[in-house]
């Protein structure tokens, strides 16, 4: 079964609103969670890395004030897209690296965000 | 800087025939290389991983890949395709384990009866 739960799977919102995406590790405690963005016919691009209890590390070119990441517990990380615009429409995927998962990385099933 | 190039955006095979998905990489360091598969509405699943041990890596579901340093390639193969293999496949490179994965653009594998 799934070890990472990502919600919602699909969201449509109006321009200017904020959207929160949740990523939960179900069977283990996560040391690190990653957030990726995937454009159509493009590869996944790492947006940020978050560790529980500390500020996320953002990749170059990713606006930290626009893409707010909170990793408040060992099993939950959230990505909030603030003041969304149509260009933020994309597929967002989280992944989780666990304490005792033999260095395996587990991915969520992704969230398709459409901003009207 | 690291990068991967997946040479085919689409590959079509018939069920029971061999599969070859091509990947070339570029890395300044000794790379870790991965193949992931993405089925619709499912998370990415690790097929196999190369981390400087044996150059021929066997993965799940009958897939394997060979690391060829001289050709900077890490092609994915399977002797006999199954309908359930139809999916998107990503070649991935990293110099820091799972911390900074660099994904290719993906290859969609189509399997016909």
């Amino acid at each position: 079964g799934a070890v990472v739960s990502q919600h919602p799977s699909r969201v449509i919102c109006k321009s200017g609103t904020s959207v929160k995406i949740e990523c939960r590790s179900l069977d283990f405690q996560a040391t690190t969670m990653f957030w990726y963005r995937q454009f159509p016919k493009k590869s996944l691009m790492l947006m940020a890395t978050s560790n529980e209890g500390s500020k996320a590390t953002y990749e170059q070119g990713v606006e930290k004030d626009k893409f707010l990441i909170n990793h408040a517990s060992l099993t939950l990380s959230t990505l909030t897209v603030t003041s969304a615009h149509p260009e933020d429409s994309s597929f967002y995927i989280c992944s989780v690296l666990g304490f005792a998962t033999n260095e395996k990385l587990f991915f969520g099933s992704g969230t398709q965000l459409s901003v009207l | 800087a690291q990068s991967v190039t997946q040479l085919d955006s689409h590959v079509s095979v018939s069920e029971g025939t061999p599969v070859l998905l091509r990947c070339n990489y570029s890395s300044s360091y000794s790379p870790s290389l991965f193949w992931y598969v993405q089925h619709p509405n499912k998370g990415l699943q690790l097929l196999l991983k190369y981390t400087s041990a044996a150059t021929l890596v066997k993965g799940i579901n009958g897939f394997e890949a060979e690391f060829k340093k001289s050709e900077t390639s890490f092609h994915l193969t399977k002797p006999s395709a199954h309908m359930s293999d139809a999916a998107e496949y990503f070649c991935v490179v990293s110099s820091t384990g799972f911390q900074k994965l660099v994904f290719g653009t993906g290859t969609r594998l189509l399997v016909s009866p």
Side-chain angles (χ1 to χ4, degrees), chain A residues 4-17:
Chain A
V4 178
S5 173
Q6 185 173 343
H7 289 284
S9 58
R10 185 179 296 272
V11 58
I12 300 172
C13 70
K14 292 182 178 179
S15 187
T17 61

Side-chain angles (χ1 to χ4, degrees), chain A residues 50-61:
Chain A
S50 75
N51 293 292
E52 184 265 339
S54 61
K55 289 184 178 180
T57 302
Y58 289 81
E59 295 300 302
Q60 191 173 7

Side-chain angles (χ1 to χ4, degrees), chain A residues 4-70:
Chain A
V4 178
S5 173
Q6 185 173 343
H7 289 284
S9 58
R10 185 179 296 272
V11 58
I12 300 172
C13 70
K14 292 182 178 179
S15 187
T17 61
S18 295
V19 173
K20 181 184 285 188
I21 303 170
E22 288 190 353
C23 181
R24 292 181 184 273
S25 59
L26 300 179
D27 298 323
F28 57 95
Q29 294 181 326
T31 51
T32 307
M33 291 186 172
F34 305 90
W35 288 95
Y36 291 85
R37 183 171 178 175
Q38 184 179 26
F39 293 96
K41 303 188 188 303
K42 297 283 187 185
S43 59
L44 280 73
M45 303 294 293
L46 179 65
M47 298 174 66
T49 303
S50 75
N51 293 292
E52 184 265 339
S54 61
K55 289 184 178 180
T57 302
Y58 289 81
E59 295 300 302
Q60 191 173 7
V62 179
E63 298 176 59
K64 62 180 180 180
D65 294 330
K66 178 160 194 64
F67 298 101
L68 301 178
I69 291 173
N70 185 289

Side-chain angles (χ1 to χ4, degrees), chain A residues 34 36 38 43-44 59 91 93 97 103-105 107-109, chain B residues 36 38 41-44 49 90 98-101 103-105:
Chain A
F34 305 90
Y36 291 85
Q38 184 179 26
S43 59
L44 280 73
E59 295 300 302
F91 195 62
I93 303 177
L97 191 62
E103 283 203 338
K104 284 187 180 177
L105 187 68
F107 284 83
S109 54
Chain B
Y36 279 88
Q38 184 179 34
N41 302 316
K42 297 264 181 84
L44 283 89
K49 177 175 73 172
F90 291 94
F98 285 111
Q99 294 292 331
K100 293 237 182 199
L101 301 183
F103 283 75
T105 50

Side-chain angles (χ1 to χ4, degrees), chain A residues 62-96:
Chain A
V62 179
E63 298 176 59
K64 62 180 180 180
D65 294 330
K66 178 160 194 64
F67 298 101
L68 301 178
I69 291 173
N70 185 289
H71 192 161
S73 76
L74 284 170
T75 59
L76 174 65
S77 176
T78 60
L79 167 68
T80 301
V81 183
T82 62
S83 188
H85 290 281
E87 57 265 31
D88 299 325
S89 298
S90 190
F91 195 62
Y92 294 88
I93 303 177
C94 71
S95 65
V96 177

